[in-house]
Amino acid sequence: TGTPLTVMHSIDRPGMGQIYQLVSDLLGEAPIAWHLFAWAVRAAGGLAFLWLARMLWPGQTLATTLMAVLYAVYAGFLQQPSANNYSNHLLAYSASIFSLALTVRAVRSPRWPAKIILFLPALAAAYWYPRVYEAMVGVEALRFILIWYALRGEPAHGFWKCAGKSLLWFTPFLLVAGYFIYYRVFIFESQRMSVDAESLLAQYSQNNN
């Protein structure tokens, strides 16, 4: 039971089906609405990328602007004409960038209330976007690197202290990612071979042999 889009994606990506149906209910069937929505999501992701880049490399206005422009036009992309379908992926991409930016800002914030306010939506996004597009769980490796990079310039932070503090910040995200991987591999049974973990592992093993 369920709406058409949730039923369609229940075999491979239930989270995508839920957000797809929600957006479809809001936008209707007008193609221009989907194209404008996809553009807005991509633009928001580009602004989030610009925010993240300028936090990491302050003072590098031209370089960070060019980086954000490159992000805005690459990988998002050749599928822009297919706005109805691929807006789901664009939402996941943009949510991941916002999550990374919020994490870096939280790490660098001097006040704990601000850290918590920024950290919680970053963690919520990290819980959500792999359920739309499972490959996005790989973003967590980048998150750890960004946390370490954001902390390495703090006074009295040697290598090991910086690594330990980075791991402390990263642990909640690691737990969320670990739970998703466990669910996806051992609990969820995909009926679509191209996204089924067991089928893909068997295929890779066969190709290596």
Side-chain angles (χ1 to χ4, degrees):
T1 61
T3 59
L5 291 174
T6 57
V7 171
M8 180 177 71
H9 285 285
S10 63
I11 65 170
D12 54 2
R13 293 169 177 153
M16 178 179 287
Q18 293 168 3
I19 191 65
Y20 199 176
Q21 186 64 60
L22 176 62
V23 175
S24 181
D25 290 342
L26 292 173
L27 299 181
E29 299 181 1
I32 187 62
W34 284 94
H35 284 289
L36 290 175
F37 175 73
W39 178 87
V41 170
R42 192 67 185 176
L47 291 174
F49 188 95
L50 180 63
W51 180 33
L52 174 61
R54 290 193 173 176
M55 281 191 290
L56 297 173
W57 299 287
Q60 299 294 329
T61 304
L62 178 59
T64 53
T65 300
L66 292 176
M67 290 166 63
V69 170
L70 180 61
Y71 170 82
V73 299
Y74 178 79
F77 62 145
L78 299 178
Q79 302 298 350
Q80 187 71 33
S82 303
N84 182 290
N85 189 24
Y86 283 92
S87 62
N88 306 300
H89 297 74
L90 296 179
L91 277 169
Y93 297 155
S94 296
S96 70
I97 299 299
F98 270 108
S99 181
L100 293 175
L102 288 169
T103 302
V104 171
R105 188 69 188 92
V107 168
R108 288 189 168 174
S109 178
R111 300 179 180 275
W112 272 104
K115 287 179 181 291
I116 295 172
I117 291 172
L118 293 163
F119 177 83
L120 290 178
L123 186 63
Y127 175 85
W128 175 76
Y129 56 72
R131 284 157 178 76
V132 177
Y133 185 36
E134 66 283 346
M136 298 300 294
V137 74
V139 168
E140 300 316 310
L142 175 60
R143 190 188 307 274
F144 179 79
I145 295 172
L146 293 180
I147 292 173
W148 175 84
Y149 186 87
L151 288 171
R152 69 183 182 89
E154 290 191 4
H157 271 193
F159 176 82
W160 292 112
K161 186 175 181 180
C162 181
K165 192 171 181 180
S166 299
L167 184 60
L168 187 63
W169 271 99
F170 181 61
T171 295
F173 296 99
L174 183 62
L175 292 175
V176 165
Y179 172 76
F180 172 76
I181 293 171
Y182 175 80
Y183 166 78
R184 191 74 191 187
V185 174
F186 297 105
I187 299 177
F188 181 72
E189 295 182 5
S190 175
Q191 300 176 44
R192 180 181 169 193
M193 185 175 296
S194 61
V195 297
D196 179 63
E198 186 176 348
S199 299
L200 290 172
L201 182 60
Q203 183 178 349
Y204 294 151
S205 299
Q206 183 179 2
N207 291 339
N208 289 333
N209 294 332

